[in-house]
């Protein structure tokens, strides 16, 4: 299996060569040259596998330059009960009216980003050891991604993490989660500024190519293909648990921000997994819902991006969307390149002539949810089913309810646990979310964090002093 760029300007290269890269050199995103297909026989033979075993099978279709046995060891080390707080790794939890939650939040940071990141942590260590090199991950976070990366890479050989976060702007739970890590290779830098200031410092340092090369800087952002492929696995897992025959269809509803999670669903469906619909749910930042309704893609400015009560979905543009558009236009890299050029020029593009394909060919439908919807959905699920869902998952359930069909299980991806967003839970049901037992002493653990001014040069010297070379 080789990978090419959505904009056509990259020679086909194997998985391990795209692993540590961000954008392709031509500004596009890496995609597999062709989508591997699964047969009914394969699906039937996968029913008895554990999550880790299934992950090795599915990932083996995308990663052909790592021996099967090694891959199975990596997935075994990533997906087990020492890391995940549930014996099934991903439990399915039925609600009423044909809806079932797919529990993707049993990992160390209580959000679905652990699903891909834990595998990435194993993979990075493996590849860096074999290449005899090191990597210093530099990133900015306002919550979920940064902590998932830190928990996945803590204590791993050959890699360090430098994670910038806006001082005083994360919840007490998020701070405790990140700053209680005492591992030497994890560096929390709390910057006097807002998230965008942190992001600007990261951009400035990674854009300094000499510095980037000398200090082996890398990133683990949402466009990383290894993350997308690791997420494909749970679509297979959930389908295998929710069906008993190989022809039975299910639909998935996915709370979406950067289009990473649902893109993995699109890949699973393109591989031949019997998925009827992919239901995209956004919050008030509805740039994607708008696309699937109108065919016009029109990213927002920072001022037009609202801070909502499902904050991990507060995006202005959807960084993985280009990979779907590539398939939508018939995998024509020239067309993708032209579309993104017109996006640069005009701030939007119009694919409304392809609208009939969105649902008919690709199964996509969309909807959006508001703060009031989230509160109402959290409350109603709690009252009907005695299950507490987080605000992001609530966006998914709200939109899923519009698209349930008789005889087709509707699987909603649970993207976080409510304990992470307890203020909104309090508002919805009048009481806080329970903290999982194994995390109850988190707030009292000692914290390790370096506070610094919002100044690129201060961050640069910190990295110079602490990077692994
Ligand atoms: C990241 C995140 C999302 C959005 O996922 P995308 O892959 O960006 O679409 C939704 N919910 C939670 C809790 C998240 O952390």
């Amino acid at each position: 299996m080789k990978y090419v760029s959505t904009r056509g300007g990259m020679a086909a290269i194997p998985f391990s060569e795209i692993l540590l890269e961000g954008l392709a050199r031509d500004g596009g995103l890496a995609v597999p040259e062709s989508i591997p297909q699964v047969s009914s026989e394969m699906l039937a033979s996968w029913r008895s596998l554990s999550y880790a075993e299934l992950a090795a099978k599915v990932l083996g279709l995308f990663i052909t330059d790592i021996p099967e046995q090694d891959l199975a060891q990596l997935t075994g080390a990533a997906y087990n009960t020492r890391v995940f707080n549930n014996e099934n790794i991903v439990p399915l939890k039925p609600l009423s009216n044909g809806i079932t939650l797919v529990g993707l939040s049993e990992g160390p940071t209580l959000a679905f980003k652990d699903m891909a990141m834990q595998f990435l942590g194993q993979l990075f260590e493996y590849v860096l050891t074999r290449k005899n090199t090191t990597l210093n991950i530099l990133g900015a976070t306002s919550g979920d991604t940064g902590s998932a990366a830190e928990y996945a890479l803590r204590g791993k050989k050959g890699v360090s993490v430098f994670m910038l976060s806006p001082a005083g702007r994360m919840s007490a739970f998020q701070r405790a989660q990140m700053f209680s890590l005492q591992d030497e290779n994890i560096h929390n830098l709390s910057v006097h500024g807002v998230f965008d200031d942190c992001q600007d410092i990261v951009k400035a340092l990674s854009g300094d190519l000499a510095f980037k090369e000398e200090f082996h800087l890398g990133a683990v952002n949402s466009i990383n293909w290894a993350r997308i492929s690791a997420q494909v696995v749970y679509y297979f897992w959930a389908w295998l648990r929710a069906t008993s025959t190989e022809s039975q269809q299910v639909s998935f509803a996915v709370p979406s921000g950067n289009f990473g999670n649902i893109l993995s669903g699109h890949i699973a469906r393109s591989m031949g997994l019997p998925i009827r619909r992919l239901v995209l749910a956004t919050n008030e930042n509805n740039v994607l819902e708008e696309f699937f309704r109108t065919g016009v893609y029109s990213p927002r400015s920072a001022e037009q991006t609202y801070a909502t009560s499902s904050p991990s979905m507060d995006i202005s543009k959807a960084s993985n969307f280009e990979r779907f558009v590539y398939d939508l236009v018939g995998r024509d890299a020239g067309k993708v390149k032209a579309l993104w050029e017109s996006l640069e020029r005009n701030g939007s593009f119009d694919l409304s002539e392809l609208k009939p394909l969105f649902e008919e060919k690709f199964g996509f439908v969309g909807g959006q949810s508001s703060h009031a919807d989230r509160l109402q959905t959290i409350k109603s699920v709690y009252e009907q089913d005695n299950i507490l869902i987080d605000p992001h998952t609530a966006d998914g359930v709200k939109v899923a309810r519009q698209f349930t069909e008789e005889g087709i299980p509707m699987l909603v991806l649970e993207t976080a646990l409510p304990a992470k967003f307890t203020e909104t839970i309090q508002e919805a049901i009048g009481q806080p979310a329970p903290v999982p037992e194994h995390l109850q002493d988190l707030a009292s653990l000692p914290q390790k964090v370096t506070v610094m001014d919002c100044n690129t040069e201060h961050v640069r010297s910190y990295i110079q002093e602490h990077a692994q070379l």
Side-chain angles (χ1 to χ4, degrees), residues 265-445:
H266 162 68
I267 304 288
R269 190 174 183 275
S270 310
M271 292 166 76
L273 188 68
I275 297 175
R276 179 166 157 72
R277 276 176 172 158
L278 289 164
V279 180
L280 173 133
T282 70
N283 62 22
E284 293 87 337
N285 296 295
N286 69 334
V287 58
L288 290 168
E289 179 275 331
E290 180 179 73
F291 175 79
F292 285 102
R293 179 165 39 84
T294 64
V296 176
Y297 180 55
S298 174
R300 314 283 158 79
S301 65
E303 299 77 55
Q304 294 166 309
T305 306
Y306 310 109
T308 76
S309 51
S310 46
S312 302
M313 294 158 61
D314 293 348
I315 52 103
S316 51
K317 62 179 183 352
S319 48
N320 269 295
F321 184 56
E322 182 170 338
R323 288 188 167 117
F324 172 69
V325 171
Y326 180 69
D327 285 348
L328 184 62
V329 300
R331 310 200 110 217
D332 180 339
K335 274 194 191 151
V336 174
K337 188 160 179 278
L339 284 169
W340 257 263
E341 278 165 8
S342 98
L343 191 61
E344 282 281 303
R345 273 197 315 274
N346 312 322
S348 69
F349 61 69
D350 183 345
L351 285 175
S352 52
E353 84 273 11
L354 299 180
K355 246 187 88 180
L357 300 183
F358 296 174
E359 184 172 359
E360 270 166 42
K361 179 155 184 220
F362 295 99
F364 269 91
V365 292
Q368 76 166 304
S369 157
S370 65
H371 179 67
D373 292 328
R374 282 188 280 286
L375 296 181
Q376 198 277 326
T377 307
I378 291 168
K379 188 161 187 277
S380 72
V381 170
Y382 187 60
E383 284 170 356
Q384 281 170 22
D385 301 307
N386 201 25
I387 288 184
L388 201 49
I389 58 173
D390 101 291
H392 305 79
T393 309
D395 289 330
V397 171
K398 189 267 174 181
V399 178
R401 284 174 172 167
Q402 295 163 232
F403 291 101
T404 50
E405 296 166 282
E406 194 64 35
I408 311 268
M410 174 62 80
L411 307 181
V412 179
L413 301 190
E414 175 201 62
T415 57
L417 291 191
K420 267 193 119 155
F421 302 97
T422 194
E423 299 80 5
T424 305
I425 303 301
Q426 176 84 42
E427 196 180 341
I429 63 164
Q431 60 191 73
V435 176
E437 206 173 321
H438 67 291
L439 293 178
Q440 278 174 359
D441 62 347
L442 190 67
S444 61
L445 296 179

Side-chain angles (χ1 to χ4, degrees), residues 112-113 144 255-261 312-313 392 415-416:
F112 90 97
K113 304 233 167 34
D144 294 342
S256 294
N258 271 314
F259 204 78
N261 200 352
S312 302
M313 294 158 61
H392 305 79
T415 57

